[in-house]
Amino acid sequence: MLCEETKQSLSLYVDDCVSLPARVAIDEHVDRCPVCRDELIELRSLKRRLSLLTPPAPPADLAVTISDLLSIEAAARRQPTPSLLQRVGRFIQPRLMPYTAGSFASVLMFFLMFTALRPHFVALREAAASQRTGVIMVEAGGYDLYQPVTPEDLAASRAPFGIESPTLRPGGALATLTISYATPRATRGDADDMIVVANVFSNGSASLADVVQPPRDKRMLDEFESALRQDAAFVPASVDRRPDTMRVVFTMQKVDVDDRNF
């Protein structure tokens, strides 16, 4: 036998757990190899020293502890087997509750946000409608279609919304620009949109504050900024009865419509 094989079997050899042929082979190798013989001597010495040690005494309450554990296990096994419905409920409950609570919270947050922003949506829709038509329609009294709409008339028609959404000044550069975006075009590929934020001041002038969604064509944003700089884009705050300074969100859409289908 080689030294490596002998060293792997020395522990079993000392414990008398090897077969007779293996013991004979180990004896022959140990007689020839002083290294393996020294290791065998150390193993036998270690075994003798371990046999002289006093075995640890078990805890005094070991029997009582084992009996209690066995009683608990026996009681658990005697419990009735849950029905199929109970097992399904236990499986679904920890999985369904988080999704239910999260869905309810999402719906509640959406409802609160929609309720808070609804006046702004209404004001923006009314402003967009007045910008597209350029004419205010009323049920009684009416306006002379051959006379331009005055800022006071337009502000009066938007009285419920002017305090939250400033009235666009008729005939101004910004009003003209927004109306042009809804004009039919003979060429395709001109449609675009953007969302910007502007600061509106007491005299009706405005300045660009932020670009939320830039347009694909940068010229659209340049046209918007140029229209704000040309003249007062909105009616004065005193006409709208709104705060002197306010921030407005613009959604600008350049519509691409074929003349033949308009």
Side-chain angles (χ1 to χ4, degrees):
M1 293 182 67
L2 300 177
C3 287
E4 183 177 357
E5 297 174 345
T6 302
K7 290 179 180 180
Q8 294 177 355
S9 303
L10 282 180
S11 180
L12 296 175
Y13 176 82
V14 171
D15 292 334
D16 295 329
C17 295
V18 295
S19 61
L20 181 60
R23 175 175 290 277
V24 173
I26 293 174
D27 289 336
E28 294 177 353
H29 179 82
V30 169
D31 290 340
R32 297 191 306 269
C33 179
V35 176
C36 294
R37 186 166 54 250
D38 291 342
E39 186 168 348
L40 177 61
I41 293 172
E42 291 181 1
L43 287 174
R44 285 174 174 170
S45 176
L46 177 62
K47 183 177 180 181
R48 283 195 299 271
R49 290 197 299 270
L50 291 175
S51 63
L52 297 176
L53 294 176
T54 303
D61 58 345
L62 179 61
V64 177
T65 303
I66 295 176
S67 299
D68 292 342
L69 293 176
L70 292 175
S71 300
I72 293 172
E73 181 67 20
R77 295 195 177 191
R78 287 195 299 269
Q79 290 182 355
T81 303
S83 63
L84 177 61
L85 185 60
Q86 291 175 335
R87 292 198 298 268
V88 172
R90 292 176 184 176
F91 176 81
I92 293 177
Q93 184 176 6
R95 295 166 175 80
L96 183 61
M97 287 302 295
Y99 294 106
T100 304
S103 300
F104 177 77
S106 299
V107 172
L108 180 61
M109 290 180 62
F110 174 79
F111 176 76
L112 294 177
M113 290 180 62
F114 180 80
T115 303
L117 295 176
R118 187 175 181 276
H120 300 281
F121 294 151
V122 173
L124 289 175
R125 185 173 67 249
E126 294 292 335
S130 64
Q131 291 168 12
R132 286 195 299 268
T133 59
V135 178
I136 305 175
M137 303 302 295
V138 295
E139 295 181 0
Y143 289 92
D144 189 351
L145 297 179
Y146 298 98
Q147 296 296 328
V149 179
T150 64
E152 291 76 11
D153 293 337
L154 184 57
S157 69
R158 299 185 67 254
F161 315 106
I163 193 172
E164 297 179 350
S165 173
T167 302
L168 198 66
R169 188 171 66 85
L174 185 58
T176 304
L177 177 65
T178 55
I179 293 173
S180 69
Y181 285 165
T183 303
R185 292 172 173 82
T187 58
R188 291 292 180 181
D190 203 18
D192 202 354
D193 58 356
M194 67 178 180
I195 301 176
V196 297
V197 180
N199 291 324
V200 182
F201 306 102
S202 60
N203 61 353
S205 61
S207 63
L208 185 65
D210 192 13
V211 179
V212 180
Q213 175 183 322
R216 296 189 302 273
D217 188 355
K218 187 178 181 298
R219 292 176 299 176
M220 186 175 178
L221 181 59
D222 294 337
E223 292 171 356
F224 181 82
E225 289 186 283
S226 177
L228 289 181
R229 290 192 296 267
Q230 286 184 27
D231 51 23
F234 301 89
V235 302
S238 59
V239 177
D240 261 343
R241 297 182 182 179
R242 59 176 171 81
D244 289 342
T245 303
M246 63 189 310
R247 181 159 288 189
V248 180
V249 179
F250 273 92
T251 300
M252 306 289 291
Q253 292 183 335
K254 187 183 291 186
V255 181
D256 184 5
V257 182
D258 194 333
D259 285 335
R260 293 170 297 181
N261 298 325
F262 187 73

